[in-house]
Amino acid sequence: MRKIKKIIAIVLLVLILVSALKIQNIRTTYEERVNSYLLNEQGYEKKEIKSIKTKYNFKMPPFYTIVIFEDEPFVKYGYFAHNKDRVGQFEYTLTEEAKKRGIDESKLKHYVPYE
């Protein structure tokens, strides 16, 4: 009985590790796709981008990438990168600080509605 519990524990541990590595690999891939899209297709310079971070969640889409630009640190732009041939912006989120500063959609510098 102890041997079976050990085997089950090892199998579960391996599954958890494999899942974690797969999620990290997907995050890295999405961040690279969005970064390449911004630099090569949208013409941004690396110094204009403050951060690019891919998030995982249990809702759809399970992976999405948040970009914050240096000149708009209070706005989070959401990008999808599910298809390697198509990357695009699908939303933006105004932080509380952005709202306090009176920033609304009409004042966004990097908003590109998805077509």
Side-chain angles (χ1 to χ4, degrees):
M1 191 60 127
R2 280 182 140 189
K3 196 172 190 175
I4 292 174
K5 286 183 180 181
K6 267 188 175 177
I7 291 171
I8 291 172
I10 290 170
V11 168
L12 287 175
L13 182 62
V14 168
L15 287 174
I16 291 169
L17 286 171
V18 167
S19 295
L21 288 172
K22 182 173 175 79
I23 288 171
Q24 186 55 44
N25 184 46
I26 292 170
R27 282 181 173 160
T28 300
T29 300
Y30 280 28
E31 288 169 10
E32 289 171 356
R33 286 180 187 164
V34 171
N35 188 56
S36 176
Y37 169 77
L38 292 172
L39 298 177
N40 300 323
E41 293 182 40
Q42 295 297 306
Y44 287 102
E45 293 183 30
K46 193 171 185 144
K47 66 182 179 184
E48 294 177 280
I49 301 167
K50 183 173 185 168
S51 68
I52 298 177
K53 210 55 147 169
T54 296
K55 304 286 185 178
Y56 173 77
N57 92 47
F58 294 101
K59 299 185 289 182
M60 292 302 286
F63 292 93
Y64 60 95
T65 302
I66 300 296
V67 175
I68 299 174
F69 293 93
E70 286 289 346
D71 63 349
E72 263 186 330
F74 308 117
V75 182
K76 297 176 182 180
Y77 291 95
Y79 287 82
F80 66 86
H82 310 304
N83 180 340
K84 68 180 181 178
D85 298 328
R86 182 99 166 117
V87 175
Q89 189 182 100
F90 70 92
E91 71 175 358
Y92 66 87
T93 303
L94 299 173
T95 64
E96 286 304 314
E97 185 62 30
K99 293 173 187 173
K100 286 180 191 173
R101 292 172 179 247
I103 297 171
D104 62 15
E105 187 175 297
S106 69
K107 296 178 183 164
L108 297 177
K109 300 174 185 176
H110 306 285
Y111 180 50
V112 181
Y114 180 70
E115 299 171 7

